[in-house]
């Protein structure tokens, strides 16, 4: 059996090395040191994301900010070890910490995120519902929403517990969602899929 040459070894990136790459042509995340590319979101995904961001922004308490599609260091590893960086569709958290990270050229830390949101894409169902759910819980992000605008319309609100990771009460289907976590707000899910009459 032929052996692979040793010079084919993949370079595993630290969070710092990944951050130093800056903006890339593709949407990327860092998974245990390996750069993973994903396709650009589709129209329905982006319209839902923007509609949700507007609703949340209108209800934000002072000191919190909402940001779409930005890298978050899940802080699993030491700075010199291969790291994990995810890019949630939306995050809510400490606005001052977000600005500090930007000014210092660093990534937003999971510790400064109160809510991460993922919109399920046809190819991301397992990633969003299993892998990222486990990772965001391990990173200590208190709240995680999984929103599906493709198969019907639903929002699954996951809340972090001390002993059991995320727990949820099942999906909210195509209606209004009211919560007190991470702050009191109401989301009209029907506005996430509003379409033009011609569509």
């Amino acid at each position: 059996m032929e052996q692979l040459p040793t010079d084919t070894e993949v370079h595993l990136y630290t969070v710092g090395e990944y951050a130093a790459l800056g903006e890339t042509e593709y949407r990327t995340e860092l998974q245990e040191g390996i750069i993973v590319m994903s396709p650009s979101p589709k129209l329905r995904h982006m319209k839902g994301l923007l509609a949700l961001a507007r609703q949340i922004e209108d209800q934000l308490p002072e000191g919190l900010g909402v940001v779409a599609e930005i890298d978050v260091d899940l802080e699993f590893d030491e700075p010199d070890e291969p790291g994990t960086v995810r890019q949630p569709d939306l995050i809510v958290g400490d606005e001052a910490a977000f600005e500090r990270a930007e000014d210092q050229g660093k990534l937003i830390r999971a510790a400064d995120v109160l809510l991460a949101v993922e919109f399920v894409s046809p190819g991301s169902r397992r990633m969003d519902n299993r892998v990222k759910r486990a990772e965001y819980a391990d990173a200590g992000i208190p709240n995680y929403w999984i929103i599906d605008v493709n198969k019907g319309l639903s929002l699954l609100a996951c809340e972090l517990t001390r002993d059991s990771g995320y727990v949820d009460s099942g999906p909210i289907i195509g209606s209004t969602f009211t919560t007190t976590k991470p702050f009191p707000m109401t989301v009209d899910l029907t506005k996430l899929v509003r379409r033009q009459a011609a569509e």
Side-chain angles (χ1 to χ4, degrees):
M1 179 180 280
E2 189 175 340
Q3 283 190 317
L4 291 173
T6 57
D7 61 358
T8 60
E9 186 175 335
V10 175
H11 175 72
L12 298 178
Y13 286 79
T14 66
V15 170
E17 289 173 327
Y18 178 79
L21 295 175
E23 293 184 11
T24 59
E25 186 177 349
Y26 303 98
R27 185 175 183 180
T28 62
E29 294 180 313
L30 188 66
Q31 185 171 328
E32 296 181 353
I34 297 173
I35 295 175
V36 180
M37 291 186 293
S38 60
S40 298
K42 300 292 185 188
L43 177 64
R44 191 176 299 167
H45 178 122
M46 288 308 300
K47 288 173 89 171
L49 175 57
L50 292 172
L52 178 63
R54 283 193 293 269
Q55 289 189 58
I56 291 176
E57 194 164 42
D58 287 345
Q59 302 174 76
L60 278 177
E62 188 174 348
L64 297 185
V66 58
V67 183
E69 298 184 334
I70 196 162
D71 290 328
V72 176
D73 177 5
L74 297 189
E75 305 177 282
F76 291 155
D77 308 285
E78 296 299 322
D80 60 344
E81 295 177 349
T84 299
V85 175
R86 291 300 184 187
Q87 191 179 101
D89 287 319
L90 204 71
I91 59 170
V92 174
D94 186 333
E95 175 113 54
F98 292 176
E99 291 294 334
R100 256 194 322 274
E102 178 77 8
D103 291 344
Q104 295 171 2
K106 295 182 178 179
L107 299 184
I108 289 172
R109 301 177 319 124
D112 297 318
V113 177
L114 298 176
L115 167 67
V117 180
E118 295 285 3
F119 277 73
V120 177
S121 297
S124 75
R125 191 166 300 281
R126 185 179 186 285
M127 176 65 75
D128 293 337
N129 283 282
R130 293 183 180 270
V131 177
K132 290 188 176 181
R133 179 172 173 147
E135 287 182 346
Y136 293 163
D138 288 346
I141 296 174
N143 300 278
Y144 175 42
W145 294 357
I146 305 169
I147 298 177
D148 196 335
V149 294
N150 297 295
K151 291 190 172 183
L153 173 62
S154 66
L155 184 154
L156 184 68
C158 306
E159 184 177 340
L160 190 62
T161 63
R162 180 171 294 178
D163 300 320
S164 305
Y166 284 130
V167 296
D168 65 77
S169 300
I172 307 297
I173 307 294
S175 61
T176 300
F177 172 62
T178 300
T179 184
T180 59
K181 305 283 180 71
F183 58 88
M185 66 175 143
T186 298
V187 175
D188 184 348
L189 299 180
T190 64
K191 292 183 177 179
L192 305 186
V193 292
R194 188 186 305 165
R195 297 176 178 83
Q196 301 299 324
E199 288 187 312

